[in-house]
Amino acid sequence: MRALIWALIGAPVLLGLAMTVAAACAPGALAAALAEPGLWASLRVTLITGLGATAVSLALTLPLGLWLVRQPRAGRALAPMLAVPHAALGLGLAFLFAPSGLVARGLAGPMGWAQPPQWAWPGDPWGGALLLGLVLKEAPFLLLMMLSAASQLDPARMMAAGQSLGRRPGAAFALGLWPQLYARLRLPVLIVLGYGLSNVDMALILGPSHPPTLAIRALRLYTAPDLRGAGPGAVLALGLVAVCAAAAALGWAVERGAARLGRGLVWRAGEPGRGAGPGRLAGLGAGLALALGALFWASVAMLVLWSLAGAWRFPALWPEGIGLGAWRRGGWLEAAGETLRLGLGVTAAAVLLAIALLEAESRSGRAPRLWLLLVPLLLPQIGFLQGLVSGFLWLGLPPGRAAVLWAEALFVFPYVYLTLAGPWRGLGRAEFDAAASLGAGPWRRLVRLRLPMLARPLAVAAAVGFSVSVAQYLAVLLPGGGRVATLTTEAVALASGADRRVAASYGLAQAVLPALGFVLAFLAPDRRGRR
């Protein structure tokens, strides 16, 4: 199985990196890349949005985490937020804050505006809109990972132990629980950091266009009609890989330094009677949760409203008519069908591969090398996907649906495996030992016992894999060579168009498909613990 994982995951990534390095070594590529106008401004906005979104999202886990630990049922609201793809959320956020968006329409009356204001948001040169969009999408992901980690630590007991020593709830959480949670959040934080520095779909919708982020600049060079742009594009793609590695090293150094410098402050804050009180930190968490949740769902609501809107002139707060015109004239059904075919195909393959890998692990007692599965998630996609396309051509695989399926599998399979691995390993051995004593062989125990018991986790893993597939942009755009159009590629392409209704219908359809997958997954029977 290890060889199969190397062939399906490791080899394509290494092949893509090697081809990118080869393209970057072309004569004059480095000089042409460094001569790109506004290159350092692109690096600046990349660092601001990537590092800023990661830092803000991680900082929000402190007050929001305390509030969620005290309100465990509120954590259920995070899963639907993860089902909304980045591009769909970006479209809704743009419709909310654009010069002719709902916020400007609400201010038009008090301010006396008859025309949309001249503010550059989204698309501001410092990347503020992009940073906000990333925080809205990544903070729920980190919080869900934190709650998953908290379920292994018995947070109620740890909080009670801290308070029994005279610490207030805020200090007990910050001093006793959060450091242990953070140790389990390092990997999700690295994934958020890598995505924040290298994302393309949300940056195309919310980010600045002149200068763009480094990832978009590399993509423009790759897709330019002049083939001489491939070399400088490869140089910038590798530069982005270096930026991500340097940011990860910086984060590690900051973590070490903060741990040493802040230890004394934390202890003083944790002295009996000192530190944040229950009303202060938890109240801040409740306020932030309300504000972020309201902004998130208001963005999604804008997709619904614009997809149904008729004529809607500024500064009217409500459209002149509601109807299904955009849904009738848009070609979203064709894109939705392509998205479904790709998503179902790659998800089925990923689930079968994950089952085979976990079953082999159960029989041999040896887990696979996790770092190999995580490489595609930690590396910038632009850093190796264009090289992978060149590698596919070298292997005789032209751009098209097959190439897209393989490229998507690089990102879908790790999430499916990680989602399924916990429930798989958490099953007790008593039932399987009893079945073996009655003569059931390994395959019969797998098909008749283990898989039915894991029906709900298998369905959830499939829903996660399908949602990852639906959200893919670069993994469709580059290996597809323009011949494969999904809801995500079309929604991003329509984001800068004149008709918001059609763009909203694509964005909403992109958000609905993964949500339906999660609804179906949670309808699956959960037979764990039954006898």
mmCIF file of all heavy atoms in Angstrom, residues 29-62:
data_model
loop_
_atom_site.group_PDB
_atom_site.id
_atom_site.type_symbol
_atom_site.label_atom_id
_atom_site.label_comp_id
_atom_site.label_asym_id
_atom_site.label_seq_id
_atom_site.Cartn_x
_atom_site.Cartn_y
_atom_site.Cartn_z
ATOM 1 N N ALA A 29 14.776 33.261 -17.152
ATOM 2 C CA ALA A 29 13.516 33.190 -16.402
ATOM 3 C C ALA A 29 13.598 33.989 -15.100
ATOM 4 O O ALA A 29 12.675 34.736 -14.754
ATOM 5 C CB ALA A 29 13.162 31.731 -16.117
ATOM 6 N N LEU A 30 14.720 33.840 -14.385
ATOM 7 C CA LEU A 30 14.856 34.539 -13.113
ATOM 8 C C LEU A 30 14.880 36.054 -13.317
ATOM 9 O O LEU A 30 14.204 36.804 -12.594
ATOM 10 C CB LEU A 30 16.132 34.075 -12.403
ATOM 11 C CG LEU A 30 16.440 34.752 -11.072
ATOM 12 C CD1 LEU A 30 15.302 34.502 -10.080
ATOM 13 C CD2 LEU A 30 17.765 34.238 -10.492
ATOM 14 N N ALA A 31 15.643 36.509 -14.317
ATOM 15 C CA ALA A 31 15.721 37.951 -14.572
ATOM 16 C C ALA A 31 14.360 38.503 -14.979
ATOM 17 O O ALA A 31 13.957 39.587 -14.536
ATOM 18 C CB ALA A 31 16.767 38.217 -15.661
ATOM 19 N N ALA A 32 13.622 37.753 -15.798
ATOM 20 C CA ALA A 32 12.297 38.220 -16.225
ATOM 21 C C ALA A 32 11.326 38.272 -15.048
ATOM 22 O O ALA A 32 10.497 39.185 -14.953
ATOM 23 C CB ALA A 32 11.757 37.289 -17.309
ATOM 24 N N ALA A 33 11.444 37.294 -14.146
ATOM 25 C CA ALA A 33 10.552 37.302 -12.974
ATOM 26 C C ALA A 33 10.850 38.493 -12.065
ATOM 27 O O ALA A 33 9.931 39.165 -11.578
ATOM 28 C CB ALA A 33 10.694 35.988 -12.203
ATOM 29 N N LEU A 34 12.126 38.752 -11.839
ATOM 30 C CA LEU A 34 12.496 39.872 -10.961
ATOM 31 C C LEU A 34 12.166 41.220 -11.593
ATOM 32 O O LEU A 34 12.045 42.225 -10.891
ATOM 33 C CB LEU A 34 13.989 39.797 -10.613
ATOM 34 C CG LEU A 34 14.408 38.593 -9.766
ATOM 35 C CD1 LEU A 34 15.919 38.587 -9.547
ATOM 36 C CD2 LEU A 34 13.677 38.607 -8.428
ATOM 37 N N ALA A 35 12.061 41.258 -12.928
ATOM 38 C CA ALA A 35 11.741 42.516 -13.617
ATOM 39 C C ALA A 35 10.239 42.773 -13.694
ATOM 40 O O ALA A 35 9.819 43.790 -14.251
ATOM 41 C CB ALA A 35 12.328 42.476 -15.032
ATOM 42 N N GLU A 36 9.430 41.873 -13.161
ATOM 43 C CA GLU A 36 7.978 42.073 -13.175
ATOM 44 C C GLU A 36 7.621 43.346 -12.419
ATOM 45 O O GLU A 36 8.049 43.529 -11.262
ATOM 46 C CB GLU A 36 7.285 40.881 -12.507
ATOM 47 C CG GLU A 36 7.159 39.670 -13.390
ATOM 48 C CD GLU A 36 6.052 39.832 -14.407
ATOM 49 O OE1 GLU A 36 4.938 40.198 -14.023
ATOM 50 O OE2 GLU A 36 6.321 39.606 -15.591
ATOM 51 N N PRO A 37 6.856 44.256 -13.027
ATOM 52 C CA PRO A 37 6.487 45.499 -12.325
ATOM 53 C C PRO A 37 5.585 45.207 -11.119
ATOM 54 O O PRO A 37 4.646 44.408 -11.209
ATOM 55 C CB PRO A 37 5.749 46.295 -13.400
ATOM 56 C CG PRO A 37 5.282 45.277 -14.392
ATOM 57 C CD PRO A 37 6.305 44.191 -14.392
ATOM 58 N N GLY A 38 5.885 45.852 -10.009
ATOM 59 C CA GLY A 38 5.057 45.689 -8.807
ATOM 60 C C GLY A 38 5.258 44.373 -8.097
ATOM 61 O O GLY A 38 4.389 43.949 -7.325
ATOM 62 N N LEU A 39 6.415 43.714 -8.343
ATOM 63 C CA LEU A 39 6.637 42.395 -7.730
ATOM 64 C C LEU A 39 6.680 42.478 -6.210
ATOM 65 O O LEU A 39 6.086 41.654 -5.508
ATOM 66 C CB LEU A 39 7.942 41.803 -8.265
ATOM 67 C CG LEU A 39 8.332 40.435 -7.686
ATOM 68 C CD1 LEU A 39 7.305 39.387 -8.054
ATOM 69 C CD2 LEU A 39 9.719 40.021 -8.192
ATOM 70 N N TRP A 40 7.357 43.490 -5.683
ATOM 71 C CA TRP A 40 7.493 43.581 -4.223
ATOM 72 C C TRP A 40 6.177 43.993 -3.576
ATOM 73 O O TRP A 40 5.882 43.593 -2.441
ATOM 74 C CB TRP A 40 8.616 44.550 -3.857
ATOM 75 C CG TRP A 40 9.911 44.107 -4.466
ATOM 76 C CD1 TRP A 40 10.620 44.725 -5.453
ATOM 77 C CD2 TRP A 40 10.620 42.889 -4.160
ATOM 78 N NE1 TRP A 40 11.729 43.987 -5.782
ATOM 79 C CE2 TRP A 40 11.757 42.859 -5.005
ATOM 80 C CE3 TRP A 40 10.410 41.841 -3.278
ATOM 81 C CZ2 TRP A 40 12.675 41.809 -4.978
ATOM 82 C CZ3 TRP A 40 11.318 40.798 -3.254
ATOM 83 C CH2 TRP A 40 12.436 40.792 -4.088
ATOM 84 N N ALA A 41 5.363 44.747 -4.312
ATOM 85 C CA ALA A 41 4.022 45.056 -3.792
ATOM 86 C C ALA A 41 3.170 43.783 -3.735
ATOM 87 O O ALA A 41 2.358 43.602 -2.815
ATOM 88 C CB ALA A 41 3.356 46.109 -4.667
ATOM 89 N N SER A 42 3.360 42.890 -4.709
ATOM 90 C CA SER A 42 2.647 41.608 -4.677
ATOM 91 C C SER A 42 3.079 40.787 -3.472
ATOM 92 O O SER A 42 2.256 40.145 -2.805
ATOM 93 C CB SER A 42 2.920 40.822 -5.962
ATOM 94 O OG SER A 42 2.333 41.448 -7.063
ATOM 95 N N LEU A 43 4.397 40.794 -3.198
ATOM 96 C CA LEU A 43 4.883 40.062 -2.027
ATOM 97 C C LEU A 43 4.306 40.659 -0.743
ATOM 98 O O LEU A 43 3.911 39.932 0.176
ATOM 99 C CB LEU A 43 6.416 40.112 -1.998
ATOM 100 C CG LEU A 43 7.077 39.447 -0.785
ATOM 101 C CD1 LEU A 43 6.733 37.971 -0.716
ATOM 102 C CD2 LEU A 43 8.596 39.645 -0.831
ATOM 103 N N ARG A 44 4.223 41.989 -0.714
ATOM 104 C CA ARG A 44 3.682 42.645 0.485
ATOM 105 C C ARG A 44 2.227 42.240 0.738
ATOM 106 O O ARG A 44 1.870 41.850 1.858
ATOM 107 C CB ARG A 44 3.768 44.168 0.299
ATOM 108 C CG ARG A 44 3.224 44.960 1.485
ATOM 109 C CD ARG A 44 2.902 46.379 1.063
ATOM 110 N NE ARG A 44 1.831 46.400 0.083
ATOM 111 C CZ ARG A 44 1.568 47.394 -0.747
ATOM 112 N NH1 ARG A 44 2.350 48.453 -0.756
ATOM 113 N NH2 ARG A 44 0.560 47.329 -1.609
ATOM 114 N N VAL A 45 1.381 42.304 -0.293
ATOM 115 C CA VAL A 45 -0.031 41.979 -0.080
ATOM 116 C C VAL A 45 -0.205 40.481 0.195
ATOM 117 O O VAL A 45 -1.109 40.082 0.955
ATOM 118 C CB VAL A 45 -0.869 42.433 -1.298
ATOM 119 C CG1 VAL A 45 -0.654 41.538 -2.506
ATOM 120 C CG2 VAL A 45 -2.343 42.473 -0.954
ATOM 121 N N THR A 46 0.690 39.648 -0.365
ATOM 122 C CA THR A 46 0.631 38.214 -0.059
ATOM 123 C C THR A 46 0.916 37.965 1.415
ATOM 124 O O THR A 46 0.211 37.189 2.083
ATOM 125 C CB THR A 46 1.647 37.458 -0.931
ATOM 126 O OG1 THR A 46 1.326 37.654 -2.310
ATOM 127 C CG2 THR A 46 1.640 35.971 -0.616
ATOM 128 N N LEU A 47 1.946 38.633 1.937
ATOM 129 C CA LEU A 47 2.301 38.444 3.348
ATOM 130 C C LEU A 47 1.220 39.013 4.266
ATOM 131 O O LEU A 47 0.884 38.409 5.293
ATOM 132 C CB LEU A 47 3.646 39.106 3.627
ATOM 133 C CG LEU A 47 4.861 38.443 2.960
ATOM 134 C CD1 LEU A 47 6.126 39.265 3.213
ATOM 135 C CD2 LEU A 47 5.053 37.020 3.471
ATOM 136 N N ILE A 48 0.692 40.177 3.906
ATOM 137 C CA ILE A 48 -0.338 40.794 4.757
ATOM 138 C C ILE A 48 -1.562 39.890 4.855
ATOM 139 O O ILE A 48 -2.080 39.632 5.951
ATOM 140 C CB ILE A 48 -0.728 42.180 4.206
ATOM 141 C CG1 ILE A 48 0.420 43.174 4.413
ATOM 142 C CG2 ILE A 48 -2.003 42.691 4.873
ATOM 143 C CD1 ILE A 48 0.169 44.523 3.783
ATOM 144 N N THR A 49 -2.026 39.410 3.722
ATOM 145 C CA THR A 49 -3.251 38.603 3.753
ATOM 146 C C THR A 49 -3.006 37.209 4.330
ATOM 147 O O THR A 49 -3.807 36.736 5.146
ATOM 148 C CB THR A 49 -3.826 38.477 2.332
ATOM 149 O OG1 THR A 49 -2.817 37.967 1.439
ATOM 150 C CG2 THR A 49 -4.279 39.826 1.830
ATOM 151 N N GLY A 50 -1.910 36.572 3.935
ATOM 152 C CA GLY A 50 -1.657 35.213 4.416
ATOM 153 C C GLY A 50 -1.317 35.161 5.891
ATOM 154 O O GLY A 50 -1.952 34.424 6.664
ATOM 155 N N LEU A 51 -0.321 35.962 6.305
ATOM 156 C CA LEU A 51 0.063 35.969 7.716
ATOM 157 C C LEU A 51 -1.033 36.593 8.576
ATOM 158 O O LEU A 51 -1.320 36.114 9.684
ATOM 159 C CB LEU A 51 1.375 36.736 7.897
ATOM 160 C CG LEU A 51 2.617 36.133 7.211
ATOM 161 C CD1 LEU A 51 3.828 37.021 7.459
ATOM 162 C CD2 LEU A 51 2.884 34.722 7.704
ATOM 163 N N GLY A 52 -1.640 37.667 8.057
ATOM 164 C CA GLY A 52 -2.673 38.347 8.841
ATOM 165 C C GLY A 52 -3.877 37.462 9.076
ATOM 166 O O GLY A 52 -4.398 37.381 10.200
ATOM 167 N N ALA A 53 -4.344 36.774 8.025
ATOM 168 C CA ALA A 53 -5.519 35.916 8.192
ATOM 169 C C ALA A 53 -5.225 34.772 9.156
ATOM 170 O O ALA A 53 -6.080 34.412 9.980
ATOM 171 C CB ALA A 53 -5.956 35.373 6.832
ATOM 172 N N THR A 54 -4.020 34.209 9.066
ATOM 173 C CA THR A 54 -3.683 33.110 9.976
ATOM 174 C C THR A 54 -3.601 33.598 11.417
ATOM 175 O O THR A 54 -4.131 32.943 12.332
ATOM 176 C CB THR A 54 -2.336 32.493 9.559
ATOM 177 O OG1 THR A 54 -2.391 32.114 8.183
ATOM 178 C CG2 THR A 54 -2.021 31.264 10.390
ATOM 179 N N ALA A 55 -2.948 34.741 11.630
ATOM 180 C CA ALA A 55 -2.802 35.263 12.988
ATOM 181 C C ALA A 55 -4.162 35.630 13.592
ATOM 182 O O ALA A 55 -4.442 35.301 14.753
ATOM 183 C CB ALA A 55 -1.873 36.480 12.980
ATOM 184 N N VAL A 56 -5.002 36.301 12.797
ATOM 185 C CA VAL A 56 -6.312 36.713 13.323
ATOM 186 C C VAL A 56 -7.184 35.484 13.599
ATOM 187 O O VAL A 56 -7.854 35.404 14.641
ATOM 188 C CB VAL A 56 -7.006 37.668 12.331
ATOM 189 C CG1 VAL A 56 -8.432 37.955 12.773
ATOM 190 C CG2 VAL A 56 -6.221 38.964 12.217
ATOM 191 N N SER A 57 -7.182 34.523 12.671
ATOM 192 C CA SER A 57 -8.001 33.317 12.877
ATOM 193 C C SER A 57 -7.546 32.562 14.117
ATOM 194 O O SER A 57 -8.377 32.077 14.902
ATOM 195 C CB SER A 57 -7.902 32.401 11.647
ATOM 196 O OG SER A 57 -8.352 33.060 10.490
ATOM 197 N N LEU A 58 -6.222 32.470 14.317
ATOM 198 C CA LEU A 58 -5.717 31.766 15.494
ATOM 199 C C LEU A 58 -6.036 32.542 16.779
ATOM 200 O O LEU A 58 -6.410 31.948 17.799
ATOM 201 C CB LEU A 58 -4.207 31.562 15.364
ATOM 202 C CG LEU A 58 -3.523 30.783 16.491
ATOM 203 C CD1 LEU A 58 -4.115 29.384 16.587
ATOM 204 C CD2 LEU A 58 -2.022 30.698 16.256
ATOM 205 N N ALA A 59 -5.904 33.869 16.722
ATOM 206 C CA ALA A 59 -6.216 34.679 17.908
ATOM 207 C C ALA A 59 -7.686 34.553 18.292
ATOM 208 O O ALA A 59 -8.027 34.577 19.482
ATOM 209 C CB ALA A 59 -5.849 36.139 17.645
ATOM 210 N N LEU A 60 -8.549 34.408 17.284
ATOM 211 C CA LEU A 60 -9.979 34.296 17.579
ATOM 212 C C LEU A 60 -10.323 32.997 18.298
ATOM 213 O O LEU A 60 -11.368 32.900 18.949
ATOM 214 C CB LEU A 60 -10.792 34.385 16.280
ATOM 215 C CG LEU A 60 -10.876 35.770 15.640
ATOM 216 C CD1 LEU A 60 -11.575 35.698 14.300
ATOM 217 C CD2 LEU A 60 -11.585 36.754 16.555
ATOM 218 N N THR A 61 -9.452 31.992 18.175
ATOM 219 C CA THR A 61 -9.757 30.728 18.846
ATOM 220 C C THR A 61 -9.694 30.850 20.366
ATOM 221 O O THR A 61 -10.260 30.011 21.068
ATOM 222 C CB THR A 61 -8.785 29.613 18.403
ATOM 223 O OG1 THR A 61 -7.451 29.986 18.746
ATOM 224 C CG2 THR A 61 -8.879 29.356 16.919
ATOM 225 N N LEU A 62 -9.022 31.905 20.886
ATOM 226 C CA LEU A 62 -8.934 32.040 22.348
ATOM 227 C C LEU A 62 -10.275 32.441 22.955
ATOM 228 O O LEU A 62 -10.854 31.686 23.752
ATOM 229 C CB LEU A 62 -7.822 33.026 22.716
ATOM 230 C CG LEU A 62 -7.469 33.097 24.203
ATOM 231 C CD1 LEU A 62 -7.031 31.743 24.716
ATOM 232 C CD2 LEU A 62 -6.371 34.129 24.443
#
